Amino acid sequence: MSPPKADVPLDTEIGQKAGFCNGLLIDDAKIKKLAEMGNAGIAIGLDGFKEDTDDRKGQGTFDKAMETMRKLRDAGVIVGFSAMTSRKNFDVIHSEAFFDTIIENGAGFGWMSIAVPQGRASTETDLIPTTEQKTQIQGLIKNLKQTKPILIIDFLTDAYLTEGCGAGRVIWHINANGDAEPCVLMPFAVDNIREKSFLEIIRSDFFKGVRGIHQRHCNESQTCMMTFQPKEVFDVIQQCGARETSIGTLKALNELAKKQE
């Protein structure tokens, strides 16, 4: 496997873009605009069926999400789902019934990640899947990939395919406030999309610094720099003056960095 590049060519148009949301603010006008753009993919956040999704995201969210997914599909927009696998929804989120339902409603891809409590929810460790559940994920995902007509991307077992994502190499994250984060699991930011362009942010010292860590260390067994190289991530954050966008994350990262010294 060749190491990822520390920087990426950014003089050309940025191609495919994807957004993660619960779909509640996507109305018919937005669907029409997305269809006209032709380069947008929407991943609608789900936590399982109606009971699990509405419990986390509010009553009526699941039904609205399914409606929006169908409308996006019918308009020709690439649409899928994103799901946080927790101890509570583990069996549902990996079930054939769940996948049959979302495929029927238009999903062509799915992005699945494991619950990692952060900020004010950092003490909610009962959300984290058990060790036994984690050992089942690879087999469950493999079976679904082989039997269901949908592209499934599982953060735990598929991260090596991109040689690590972070900071615009493959993906980056914009939170609800517009803060530009290297990854949805790396909640730190220097810039805001309302103040700077995509190109300015991707070319920033902060994003370049994170990509540099990937170039030096990323391999098939070490794809998440927050997990495997916390000290270097902490150093880049300090050097670039990045701020935490999830309360308590900087303290937790600092503790991990100290353990690596």
Side-chain angles (χ1 to χ4, degrees):
M1 173 183 292
S2 60
K5 303 297 183 183
D7 211 340
V8 291
L10 299 171
D11 294 325
T12 56
E13 290 291 329
I14 298 176
Q16 184 79 17
K17 301 179 181 66
F20 299 86
C21 65
N22 60 19
L24 299 185
L25 299 180
I26 302 178
D27 56 22
D28 291 344
K30 290 184 176 69
I31 291 175
K32 183 176 183 295
K33 185 174 182 179
L34 288 166
E36 291 172 348
M37 288 171 59
N39 70 334
I42 300 297
I44 293 180
L46 300 170
D47 290 280
F49 287 117
K50 186 178 181 68
E51 179 181 355
D52 290 300
T53 298
D54 286 7
D55 181 58
R56 280 186 53 81
K57 295 178 166 59
Q59 292 300 309
T61 298
F62 181 79
D63 289 340
K64 175 61 177 176
M66 292 298 98
E67 178 186 359
T68 301
M69 190 176 286
R70 292 191 298 270
K71 287 183 176 181
L72 287 164
R73 173 200 61 193
D74 294 344
V77 179
I78 299 171
V79 62
F81 76 97
S82 62
M84 183 189 73
T85 300
S86 70
R87 190 177 308 183
K88 180 181 177 181
N89 72 355
F90 186 89
D91 292 333
V92 171
I93 214 74
H94 292 102
S95 69
E96 292 195 16
F98 173 71
F99 274 84
D100 289 341
T101 297
I102 58 175
I103 291 170
E104 181 181 349
N105 281 275
F109 71 93
W111 167 266
M112 304 179 71
S113 60
I114 285 182
V116 182
Q118 296 180 348
R120 284 173 290 185
S122 60
T123 59
E124 297 181 18
T125 54
D126 58 332
L127 287 175
I128 302 173
T130 65
T131 300
E132 181 181 358
Q133 287 175 327
K134 290 178 182 178
T135 61
Q136 298 177 46
I137 291 177
Q138 185 172 18
L140 291 169
I141 293 296
K142 181 178 180 181
N143 177 66
L144 290 166
K145 286 180 176 179
Q146 293 175 340
T147 59
K148 302 300 177 182
I150 185 172
L151 172 65
I152 305 172
I153 306 166
D154 173 62
F155 182 82
L156 184 66
T157 59
D158 292 331
Y160 75 94
L161 294 174
T162 62
E163 300 179 348
C165 56
R169 283 194 56 261
V170 178
I171 193 172
W172 52 299
H173 183 249
I174 301 173
N175 68 17
N177 296 319
D179 296 317
E181 304 163 343
C183 173
V184 66
L185 299 178
M186 191 182 291
F188 299 93
V190 172
D191 299 310
N192 189 288
I193 196 63
R194 296 187 176 95
E195 300 168 354
K196 291 188 178 181
S197 69
F198 278 91
L199 290 181
E200 287 178 302
I201 293 171
I202 295 178
R203 288 169 170 162
S204 68
D205 289 340
F206 180 42
F207 272 36
K208 284 182 179 179
V210 175
R211 291 198 295 270
I213 301 173
H214 277 270
Q215 184 188 42
R216 291 189 294 275
H217 300 289
C218 191
N219 56 52
E220 288 191 9
S221 63
Q222 295 191 18
T223 55
C224 176
M225 296 301 99
M226 281 276 287
T227 300
F228 296 106
Q229 297 298 330
K231 185 179 185 305
E232 290 201 32
V233 173
F234 183 79
D235 288 344
V236 168
I237 288 170
Q238 294 292 92
Q239 292 165 9
C240 297
R243 63 187 182 280
E244 63 179 6
T245 54
S246 180
I247 299 172
T249 309
L250 184 61
K251 179 180 178 181
L253 179 62
N254 188 25
E255 292 175 353
L256 288 174
K258 290 179 179 178
K259 292 179 181 179
Q260 193 181 25
E261 293 178 346

